[in-house]
Amino acid sequence: MTSRPSLSRRHLLAGSAGVLAAGALSRPTGAAASRTAPGQLRARLALPDGVQSGDVTSRSAVLWSRASGEGRLVARVDSGRHSRVVRGPWATPDTDLTARIELEGLAPGRAYDAALWFEGPDGTRGEVGRARFVTGDRRPAATSFVWTGDTAGQGWGINPDLGGMTAYAAMHATRPDFFVHAGDTIYADGPIAERVVEPDGQVWRNLVTPEVSKVAETLREFRGRHRYNLMDDHVRAFYADTPVVAQWDDHETVNNWWPGEVLDDVRYTERRVDVLAARARRAWQEYQPIATGAARGRGRSGFAEARIYRKIERGAHLDVFCLDMRTHKSPNTAGLEPRETPVLGREQAEWLVREVRRSRATWKVISADLPLGLVVPDGAAQESVSNGDPGAPLGRELEMARVLRGLKGVPGVLWITADVHYCAAHHYSPERATFTDFDPFWEVVAGPINAGTFGPSALDGTFGPRQVFARAADYPNQSPRGGNQFFGHVDIARSGLLTVSLRNARGAVLWSQDLEPGERATA
């Protein structure tokens, strides 16, 4: 459930009187509305999964939380001396007790502090959590963000012996303005056991819940996967302080899936991927602080399906374009079709070219949940864009060639991604390519953040990539204990100079590159 109050600068910041109501949502009836009996203590609703903000632009933001029981989400939004209360929707079992408030009309370049709580049916105010965020500045100003992917994968979950998902604390320590989770926010297809013996004999010990003990098939199990990650103290602390920009990829549903696929995995009783993906998408949207203003109708699940690809406008220096390379994806084949096969789909590909060309921001960061030039096998087929053939574009490469041609002449384009479980920096140039009708650009790969580490992967020469840097696992499926967990960091100075770096689980810089605004992307 969402509510979209309009918080104009005049209303929110000029001290006008009154309370802003977020939608005319009626109070539940029946058992949900029963009041505490005389003489009994009123139960206060708790926030078992913390609070979050997300999709923060220069003028808007999303606030999110989950309650311990049915209640109405309420937020007090403060900026400087000005404060307003926003009453949001009811959290009910229909959304697994999650709720969000979508704020609009915020002031650019301002720091906000939002206190969130749930009111019970009897009006009792519950536990209070605080979410902090800064809106994008429409004047040239310094800004920064981090990105990564791959949380709780390959059976490596929350290990209390090691302090939990500590790489999230390393990202938190950089104090970024926002965080892009570039896919594989959960591993619905990867059961988590209590004990895993590592190759050197050490025992990895996981916290476990019933929902992570098997592959996720039911809506309850998909929801439980998201709740599991929020059990980690570092994740909750990071999300409270840092707005999230969430993307999805394959493991939110099942490895390497595409629409229409039917699984032959004996672990599943429901093998129709479309059924699994509908449940996975609903759970993902319930648990991510994603704006749902682009929702179009209702899917078969009855849940409003928001368009996942979107632009996050972050002010004068930065626009972030988040892609969805899963919903419209063609079946995994060898990728050698002489005709264009989709990974974005025509509507999204045209949207991307159009919106990047329209952008007046100094930097246009395209966050792709699959890499462009890395070969990512799916058995004998190919999972990503490339096909391993360095010749002229074929299959999905034809769609990407059309996008790259459409972006020609646009300054300040940087691609970021995750997915392959190691970190790398690739420079693409027509001088090295078979397909040459595009401008040079960088693609920087980060992750995993708490999953098995692999790599490196082979590069496909069609678009002329060159590996400038890579750091991979010491051996396949290395646990997070080894320290080979990675995230990317982007720092944009007030002048527009962009510094992109790759960092390890302790936050140490492994590689860095300065990019000047308006200049050709040279290696």
Side-chain angles (χ1 to χ4, degrees), residues 255-483:
N255 187 43
N256 293 351
W257 72 273
W258 65 84
E261 183 183 7
V262 177
L263 302 177
D264 59 3
D265 190 330
V266 297
R267 299 177 301 169
Y268 287 85
T269 56
E270 175 55 73
R271 299 189 181 183
R272 295 169 295 171
V273 166
D274 287 356
V275 174
L276 295 172
R279 296 167 183 168
R281 182 186 180 111
R282 176 169 178 168
W284 184 83
Q285 287 180 215
E286 289 170 342
Y287 275 86
Q288 303 299 328
I290 179 174
T292 58
R296 300 174 179 177
R298 292 186 178 271
R300 284 173 294 180
S301 66
F303 190 75
E305 295 180 351
R307 191 183 74 184
I308 292 175
Y309 68 86
R310 62 207 191 276
K311 170 186 168 182
I312 307 298
E313 178 267 312
R314 288 293 306 176
H317 276 325
L318 179 62
D319 284 336
V320 179
F321 300 85
C322 295
L323 304 186
D324 174 6
M325 304 174 82
R326 195 59 53 178
T327 300
H328 311 286
K329 191 172 186 277
S330 58
N332 287 351
T333 67
L336 301 175
E337 296 88 352
R339 66 188 183 282
E340 182 177 309
T341 56
V343 67
L344 296 173
R346 180 167 294 276
E347 180 180 311
Q348 182 177 189
E350 291 176 352
W351 167 87
L352 177 61
V353 171
R354 180 178 65 250
E355 293 302 317
V356 172
R357 296 196 69 87
R358 284 179 178 174
S359 173
R360 302 278 72 86
T362 307
W363 295 101
K364 300 88 176 170
V365 172
I366 301 173
S367 184
D369 45 290
L370 289 170
L372 303 187
L374 285 172
V375 179
V376 185
D378 180 20
Q382 296 295 332
E383 153 72 354
S384 191
V385 175
S386 62
N387 55 26
D389 180 343
L394 295 169
R396 294 172 184 155
E397 292 175 336
L398 286 166
E399 182 184 66
M400 192 52 59
R402 182 159 56 88
V403 169
L404 295 179
R405 182 188 296 114
L407 298 180
K408 192 173 181 180
V410 179
V413 175
L414 170 67
W415 292 73
I416 62 173
T417 190
D419 184 65
V420 290
H421 294 245
Y422 72 101
C423 70
H426 304 141
H427 182 262
Y428 290 74
S429 174
E431 298 171 356
R432 298 184 294 267
T434 306
F435 174 80
T436 62
D437 196 13
F438 68 98
D439 288 340
F441 64 93
W442 284 92
E443 174 190 57
V444 187
V445 186
I449 198 62
N450 197 91
T453 313
F454 295 87
S457 301
L459 280 168
D460 182 314
T462 297
F463 301 120
R466 180 167 68 88
Q467 180 178 285
V468 177
F469 172 83
R471 182 69 59 83
D474 298 324
Y475 52 87
N477 197 21
Q478 184 176 16
S479 85
R481 191 196 304 271

Side-chain angles (χ1 to χ4, degrees), residues 152-161 187-198 202-215 225 228 267 450 477 481:
Q154 289 72 51
W156 310 113
I158 301 169
N159 186 337
D161 298 337
Y187 276 72
D189 57 340
I192 296 175
E194 290 186 7
R195 298 172 74 255
V196 183
V197 180
E198 299 178 60
Q202 294 188 86
V203 174
W204 178 279
R205 188 167 65 91
N206 285 310
L207 294 180
V208 296
T209 65
E211 291 85 359
V212 303
S213 64
K214 64 179 289 292
V215 296
R225 284 282 174 167
Y228 178 81
R267 299 177 301 169
N450 197 91
N477 197 21
R481 191 196 304 271

